[in-house]
Amino acid sequence: MRIAWGITGAGHYLKDSFDVFTNLKSKFSDRVKITTFVSKAAEEVTQVYGLFKLLGAISPGGYMEEIILESQQGWSYPKTGRFSQGNYNALVIAPATSNTVAKIVHGIADSLVTNAVAHGIKGGVPVYVVPVDIEGKVKSPMPYFIDREICVQCGKCVENCPNNAIEEQIDFLKCQGCGLCRDICEYNAIKGGYVELCIRDVDTENVKKMRKMDGISVLDTPDYISSTLQSIYSNSLKATSHDL
Ligand SMILES: Cc1cc2nc3c(=O)[nH]c(=O)nc-3n(C[C@H](O)[C@H](O)[C@H](O)COP(=O)(O)O)c2cc1C
């Protein structure tokens, strides 16, 4: 079974999506090949949450098991042509930012992940999207930040950060989410935690529109990814034995 996984730059559901694909690959390594398509924002956001390095175990490299970074692609995304060639059994976008959902709903295909979705639908590959902003409120995980009310500016985190990511605050573009700063801070001034966010009406409406789109199924949380892929796999086995 060949799966294409598209990651966009959302912190919400990011760890849960990684858990699903890590488990899938470790359980079925002999039967599942996963190509990961990473948006430019996802490349930054996965690093800040300390997850980027886990991709190597999910997509170890080689045919149909590569990590495809949007930052290293041209403007026409030739790699997404694979979806027209019957190479994948499914394309899963998890998590899908409100930005990517809005583009998909409006037929825009000018980024690696939205282009993959467009080609997936055109090529008859079932597309599954896990949007982060469905409705109401969400509790989203936060990257590490320094609480300046508590910080005494001892400089220990600045000196010890392996990525030189700390000055006045933690630079999200340099932070790799290792958590060393939090561990060594004697004043507990470095925090992560969760924030509560209100979903915009426009994002709720876009998800409703996406539910009605041909070729796309919306999965409400990453919990549904495994069972969805397993049923595709079982059906493909049945189809193969029937054909024989
Ligand atoms: C740390 C961090 C977390 C983010 N989390 C979210 C999120 O949960 N949902 C969202 O819609 N955008 C989130 N964003 C903003 C997106 O990354 C940004 O809108 C980006 O342009 C999306 O591009 P993409 O859809 O091509 O990945 C986050 C940004 C940062 C820096």
Side-chain angles (χ1 to χ4, degrees), residues 7-12 39 41-42 45 48-49 70 97-100 111 132-133 140 143 172:
I7 316 177
T8 64
H12 194 61
S39 82
V45 172
V48 92
Y49 288 99
E70 181 173 24
T97 58
S98 48
N99 172 61
T100 286
S111 64
V132 289
D133 290 346
S140 255
F172 287 169

Coordinates of all heavy atoms in Angstrom, one line a residue, residues 7-12 39 41-42 45 48-49 70 97-100 111 132-133 140 143 172, ligand 1:
I7 N 1.6 17.3 5.0 CA 1.6 18.0 6.3 C 1.6 19.5 6.0 O 2.4 20.0 5.2 CB 2.9 17.7 7.1 CG1 3.2 16.3 7.1 CG2 2.7 18.2 8.6 CD1 4.5 16.0 7.9
T8 N 0.7 20.3 6.7 CA 0.8 21.7 6.5 C 1.2 22.3 7.9 O 1.3 21.6 8.9 CB -0.6 22.3 6.1 OG1 -1.6 22.0 7.0 CG2 -1.0 21.7 4.7
G9 N 1.3 23.7 7.9 CA 1.9 24.3 9.1 C 1.0 24.6 10.3 O 0.9 25.7 10.7
A10 N 0.4 23.5 10.8 CA -0.5 23.7 11.9 C 0.1 23.0 13.1 O 0.5 21.8 13.0 CB -1.9 23.1 11.6
G11 N 0.1 23.7 14.3 CA 0.5 23.1 15.5 C -0.6 22.1 16.1 O -0.3 21.1 16.6
H12 N -1.8 22.5 15.8 CA -2.9 21.7 16.3 C -3.0 20.4 15.5 O -2.8 20.4 14.3 CB -4.2 22.5 16.1 CG -5.4 22.0 16.8 ND1 -5.4 21.9 18.2 CD2 -6.6 21.4 16.4 CE1 -6.6 21.3 18.5 NE2 -7.3 21.1 17.5
S39 N 4.7 21.1 3.5 CA 4.6 22.5 3.1 C 5.7 23.4 3.7 O 6.3 22.9 4.7 CB 3.2 23.1 3.5 OG 3.2 23.6 4.8
A41 N 5.6 26.0 5.4 CA 5.2 26.4 6.8 C 5.3 25.1 7.7 O 5.8 25.2 8.9 CB 3.8 26.9 6.9
A42 N 5.0 24.0 7.2 CA 5.1 22.7 8.0 C 6.5 22.4 8.3 O 6.8 21.9 9.4 CB 4.4 21.6 7.2
V45 N 7.2 24.7 11.3 CA 6.3 24.3 12.5 C 6.7 23.0 13.1 O 6.8 22.8 14.3 CB 4.8 24.5 12.1 CG1 4.0 24.0 13.3 CG2 4.5 25.9 11.8
V48 N 9.8 23.5 15.2 CA 9.6 24.2 16.5 C 8.9 23.3 17.5 O 9.1 23.4 18.7 CB 8.8 25.5 16.2 CG1 7.3 25.4 16.4 CG2 9.3 26.6 17.1
Y49 N 8.2 22.3 17.0 CA 7.6 21.4 18.0 C 8.5 20.1 18.2 O 8.0 19.1 18.8 CB 6.2 20.9 17.5 CG 5.1 22.0 17.7 CD1 4.7 22.8 16.6 CD2 4.5 22.2 18.9 CE1 3.8 23.8 16.7 CE2 3.5 23.2 19.0 CZ 3.2 24.0 17.9 OH 2.2 25.0 18.1
E70 N 8.5 21.3 0.2 CA 8.0 22.3 -0.7 C 9.2 23.3 -0.9 O 9.3 23.9 -2.0 CB 6.8 23.1 -0.1 CG 6.3 24.2 -1.0 CD 5.0 24.8 -0.5 OE1 4.7 24.7 0.7 OE2 4.3 25.3 -1.3
T97 N -4.1 23.2 7.7 CA -4.3 24.6 8.2 C -5.6 25.2 7.6 O -6.0 24.7 6.5 CB -3.2 25.5 7.8 OG1 -3.0 25.5 6.4 CG2 -1.8 25.1 8.4
S98 N -6.1 26.2 8.2 CA -7.2 26.9 7.6 C -6.8 27.5 6.3 O -7.7 27.6 5.4 CB -7.8 28.0 8.6 OG -6.7 28.7 9.1
N99 N -5.6 27.9 6.1 CA -5.1 28.4 4.9 C -5.2 27.4 3.8 O -5.7 27.7 2.7 CB -3.6 28.8 5.1 CG -2.9 29.2 3.8 OD1 -3.3 30.2 3.1 ND2 -1.9 28.5 3.4
T100 N -4.7 26.2 4.0 CA -4.7 25.1 3.0 C -6.2 24.7 2.7 O -6.6 24.5 1.5 CB -3.9 23.9 3.4 OG1 -2.5 24.3 3.3 CG2 -4.1 22.7 2.6
S111 N 0.4 25.6 -4.0 CA 1.4 25.2 -3.0 C 1.6 23.7 -3.2 O 0.7 23.0 -3.9 CB 0.9 25.5 -1.6 OG -0.2 24.8 -1.3
V132 N -7.9 21.6 10.9 CA -7.7 21.9 12.4 C -8.8 22.8 12.9 O -9.1 22.8 14.1 CB -6.3 22.6 12.6 CG1 -5.2 21.6 12.5 CG2 -6.1 23.8 11.8
D133 N -9.4 23.6 12.0 CA -10.3 24.6 12.4 C -11.7 24.2 11.9 O -12.1 24.6 10.8 CB -10.0 26.0 11.9 CG -8.7 26.6 12.6 OD1 -8.3 26.0 13.6 OD2 -8.1 27.5 12.1
S140 N -5.1 24.5 21.4 CA -3.9 24.3 20.6 C -2.6 24.2 21.4 O -2.4 25.1 22.2 CB -3.8 25.4 19.5 OG -4.2 24.9 18.3
P143 N 4.3 26.3 21.0 CA 5.8 26.1 21.1 C 6.3 26.7 22.4 O 5.6 27.5 23.0 CB 6.3 26.8 19.9 CG 5.2 27.3 19.1 CD 4.0 27.2 19.9
F172 N 11.3 31.2 16.7 CA 10.6 30.0 16.2 C 11.3 29.5 14.9 O 11.1 28.3 14.6 CB 9.1 30.3 15.9 CG 8.3 30.5 17.1 CD1 7.0 31.0 17.0 CD2 8.8 30.1 18.4 CE1 6.2 31.1 18.2 CE2 8.0 30.3 19.5 CZ 6.7 30.8 19.4
Ligands
LIG1 C1 4.0 27.6 15.8 C2 3.0 27.8 14.8 C3 1.8 27.1 14.9 C4 0.7 27.3 13.9 N1 -0.4 26.6 14.1 C5 -1.4 26.8 13.2 C6 -2.6 26.0 13.4 O1 -2.8 25.3 14.3 N2 -3.6 26.2 12.4 C7 -3.5 27.1 11.4 O2 -4.4 27.2 10.6 N3 -2.3 27.8 11.2 C8 -1.3 27.7 12.1 N4 -0.1 28.4 11.9 C9 0.0 29.3 10.8 C10 0.3 28.6 9.5 O3 1.6 28.0 9.6 C11 0.4 29.7 8.3 O4 -0.9 30.2 8.1 C12 1.0 29.2 7.0 O5 0.9 30.2 6.0 C13 0.2 27.9 6.5 O6 0.8 27.5 5.3 P1 0.4 26.1 4.7 O7 -1.1 26.0 4.7 O8 0.9 26.1 3.3 O9 1.1 25.0 5.5 C14 0.9 28.2 12.8 C15 2.1 28.9 12.8 C16 3.1 28.7 13.7 C17 4.4 29.6 13.6

